[in-house]
Amino acid sequence: MKRMAIFFGIIILLYSVYYDLNKGTLRLLYQESTVATTQPQVNQASPTESQQTSEEDPSSIPYVEMEVKPGDTVLSLSEDLLDGSIPVPIERVITDFEELNDVPPAKIQIGKTYKIPNYQ
């Protein structure tokens, strides 16, 4: 009887490890929290507005405004925007984010909207 309880315990443990590695419990929680969110707004400025932006921001980095959810980072938001990996170095993403928002990536706050660099 004791061996059978240990056997079933090991089976349950192996299944939970298999499920976590294939599906991932954190990703499921993240997907549930983003279901009720709206689609990101792409910055599409008129010609006069784009001239004003280029005067304010000399690099004129294209961006998308996104709201930060629990567990989000600047890199995860950039990857979600591109639906894959980022085509530029991580250092560039960080410096572009700091230029657009005047906030270091480590200081982002949940619920606030930030300008995320768009590299499409």
Side-chain angles (χ1 to χ4, degrees):
M1 186 70 171
K2 192 176 187 181
R3 287 183 181 177
M4 191 163 34
I6 292 172
F7 175 74
F8 284 121
I10 291 172
I11 295 296
I12 291 171
L13 176 70
L14 290 175
Y15 176 75
S16 64
V17 168
Y18 169 79
Y19 183 83
D20 189 40
L21 291 176
N22 283 332
K23 306 259 188 213
T25 53
L26 291 177
R27 190 50 128 166
L28 292 175
L29 290 174
Y30 176 74
Q31 289 174 350
E32 289 174 6
S33 69
T34 59
V35 168
T37 62
T38 59
Q39 294 295 326
Q41 300 289 327
V42 177
N43 180 29
Q44 296 180 356
S46 65
T48 57
E49 290 177 358
S50 65
Q51 291 171 353
Q52 292 173 351
T53 350
S54 63
E55 291 172 3
E56 294 172 6
D57 187 24
S59 62
S60 66
I61 302 166
Y63 65 89
V64 174
E65 292 186 352
M66 296 179 78
E67 183 177 317
V68 177
K69 305 288 181 225
D72 283 345
T73 63
V74 173
L75 294 177
S76 68
L77 291 171
S78 297
E79 287 176 345
D80 289 344
L81 182 63
L82 296 173
D83 292 329
S85 63
I86 304 168
V88 296
I90 294 173
E91 291 82 15
R92 180 169 173 201
V93 175
I94 292 170
T95 56
D96 289 348
F97 178 82
E98 288 176 345
E99 282 183 31
L100 289 171
N101 298 292
D102 296 325
V103 174
K107 302 278 183 173
I108 62 173
Q109 297 177 354
I110 296 170
K112 289 196 174 184
T113 302
Y114 294 98
K115 298 174 185 174
I116 306 300
N118 187 4
Y119 299 108
Q120 290 182 348

